[in-house]
Amino acid sequence: MSSADVAVKVFRNLKNEDLRVLQVIETAMSQHEFVSKEQIARFSKLDLARDTHFRLSRLSKLGLIYRITGAYVGYTLNYSGYDCLAINALVKAGVLEAFGKSLGVGKEADVFDALNPKGERTAIKFHRLGRISFRQTRRKRDYTTQRSASWLYQSRLAAEKEFQALKLVYPHKVAVPEPISQNRHVIVMGMIDGAELAEYKEISKPEKVLKQILRNVKKAYLKAGVVHADLSEYNIILKPDMHILIIDWPQYVTREHPNAQELLTRDLKNITRFFERKHMLKVELKEALSYVTGEGRITTWSHPT
Ligand SMILES: Nc1ncnc2c1ncn2[C@@H]1O[C@H](COP(=O)(O)OP(=O)(O)OP(=O)(O)O)[C@@H](O)[C@H]1O
Ligand SMILES: [Mg+2]
């Protein structure tokens, strides 16, 4: 079960006091990696001996916090706890009503199908950065070598950045999921039906698909001033109607960034190479680059044998 699976499963059963304790730990974690029971009692205004103890052991059993024992006893949020705080905020903001199935669990994100209160489908992406999972690191020293709670910060930063990118390119009609909301390390966006381009063994009109990709990279660059910077066949969704959407934007840079040209070239190299290798369609990298930057056209679409 992924951390988001845990959060989705237990969220409905959480009481206000549970959420308050999670929030107190979250806040204190900006100062300390581990937060003591006394601190938690003080800031949550719960009775120390009874209520705080009860909440902490309950949250720990639910898998939302982690307790470290030794010379110092302290608590830290784990990803599921952080997920619950974000889910709670999104429910309160009226953008999230229910979770559906998991759309993808990876190293850096968990993505879920969800519904908003109007019954419309959305996709919810939980960013996971900067921390090896708890399952892999049961030993104490693995924690102490980590900078204080930086995973919280890095994951939130990734979500903020991705949401920002979507908001920059979406109004220019770049083919991306609609940005709906963001809280902490989570973004809510329009749901897309389809599969990663990499998963298609064959596509009937590769030229059409590549043209769409290049047109969208061009729009993002020229109109929104944005370079994706992690573009590949894994971050392009091909819908059943053969239209594409470009996803996964947390690494974006603006056109003014000192490495923008280099990153744009790399993006285009990934795509042109993929089409040459997998779909027997060759476009010169130089031509693709000059098309995308508005300096020229693509003159040859060849089919190497
Ligand atoms: N808006 C969306 N609608 C439907 N499915 C989506 C959406 N966004 C992402 N997905 C699914 O989730 C997968 C992972 O999303 P994304 O590429 O944004 O994250 P990632 O950081 O690459 O995660 P990972 O580390 O799992 O590869 C996608 O390949 C896709 O299958
Ligand atoms: Mg991806």
Side-chain angles (χ1 to χ4, degrees):
M1 224 169 24
S2 78
S3 2
D5 284 324
V6 173
V8 167
K9 202 170 127 228
V10 306
F11 175 73
R12 292 277 168 208
N13 299 323
L14 294 183
K15 302 283 180 287
N16 283 338
E17 286 81 6
D18 296 320
L19 289 160
R20 204 153 91 212
V21 167
L22 290 176
Q23 228 154 37
V24 165
I25 300 175
E26 176 193 33
T27 308
M29 278 174 74
S30 59
Q31 306 288 330
H32 320 273
E33 178 87 7
F34 294 96
V35 189
S36 73
K37 199 194 271 188
E38 289 71 24
Q39 264 177 312
I40 296 166
R42 184 150 27 101
F43 291 110
S44 60
K45 303 200 168 61
L46 291 176
D47 167 76
L48 175 66
R50 220 188 41 227
D51 299 340
T52 308
H53 183 79
F54 172 74
R55 291 297 154 196
L56 289 172
S57 67
R58 175 176 146 79
L59 291 169
S60 176
K61 272 190 213 121
L62 291 173
L64 305 184
I65 61 176
Y66 183 79
R67 178 171 185 264
I68 186 182
T69 51
Y72 177 81
V73 178
Y75 296 84
T76 184
L77 284 184
N78 63 31
Y79 260 123
S80 301
Y82 199 37
D83 293 350
C84 283
L85 286 172
I87 293 171
N88 183 51
L90 293 167
V91 169
K92 283 201 170 135
V95 293
L96 174 60
E97 175 76 24
F99 278 95
K101 65 177 194 311
S102 160
L103 297 171
V105 178
K107 239 173 18 307
E108 303 202 317
D110 291 351
V111 183
F112 277 79
D113 192 352
L115 291 176
N116 71 11
K118 288 189 210 148
E120 295 157 342
R121 287 172 81 201
T122 60
I124 311 263
K125 178 172 176 180
F126 297 82
H127 282 265
R128 315 258 178 241
L129 281 186
R131 167 174 266 194
I132 323 151
S133 88
F134 273 94
R135 213 169 298 158
Q136 288 164 27
T137 55
R138 286 256 176 245
R139 286 159 306 158
K140 256 181 265 167
R141 68 184 163 82
D142 293 324
Y143 298 116
T144 47
T145 54
Q146 296 212 359
R147 299 286 314 279
S148 173
S150 69
W151 61 273
L152 255 160
Y153 177 69
Q154 287 177 43
S155 311
R156 175 164 62 83
L157 213 60
E160 283 171 359
K161 236 191 121 189
E162 175 158 33
F163 195 63
Q164 186 63 45
L166 293 177
K167 283 201 300 187
L168 285 172
V169 299
Y170 186 76
H172 293 287
K173 302 205 161 31
V174 179
V176 295
E178 178 190 3
I180 297 170
S181 190
Q182 179 254 324
N183 185 274
R184 295 179 172 82
H185 61 318
V186 177
I187 66 171
V188 183
M189 59 189 146
M191 168 70 199
I192 332 162
D193 282 313
E196 290 174 9
L197 182 56
E199 284 178 29
Y200 287 76
K201 286 222 170 65
E202 245 177 88
I203 39 185
S204 57
K205 291 178 181 145
E207 202 168 310
K208 255 186 146 166
V209 176
L210 179 54
K211 270 184 187 158
Q212 274 187 74
I213 297 169
L214 296 176
R215 213 181 305 128
N216 279 286
V217 172
K218 179 179 182 167
K219 255 194 263 181
Y221 183 75
L222 286 183
K223 294 201 173 152
V226 166
V227 175
H228 186 287
D230 188 24
L231 195 64
S232 73
E233 62 274 25
Y234 301 100
N235 287 331
I236 293 171
I237 302 282
L238 187 56
K239 296 194 283 185
D241 67 2
M242 291 294 120
H243 283 94
I244 60 124
L245 285 180
I246 304 178
I247 60 165
D248 204 3
W249 292 78
Q251 329 236 17
Y252 92 93
V253 296
T254 60
R255 203 169 37 204
E256 292 72 37
H257 188 278
N259 300 334
Q261 289 309 311
E262 193 186 313
L263 292 164
L264 180 65
T265 309
R266 193 180 69 186
D267 280 355
L268 291 172
K269 199 188 234 169
N270 290 341
I271 295 302
T272 51
R273 265 201 199 151
F274 169 75
F275 273 87
E276 187 177 343
R277 205 180 61 229
K278 273 288 268 296
H279 298 289
M280 305 298 277
L281 176 61
K282 187 168 166 61
V283 164
E284 290 298 335
L285 175 61
K286 246 173 129 178
E287 287 203 349
L289 193 60
S290 89
Y291 167 72
V292 161
T293 52
E295 285 152 18
R297 291 189 312 125
I298 297 172
T299 53
T300 21
W301 301 78
S302 60
H303 299 270
T305 42

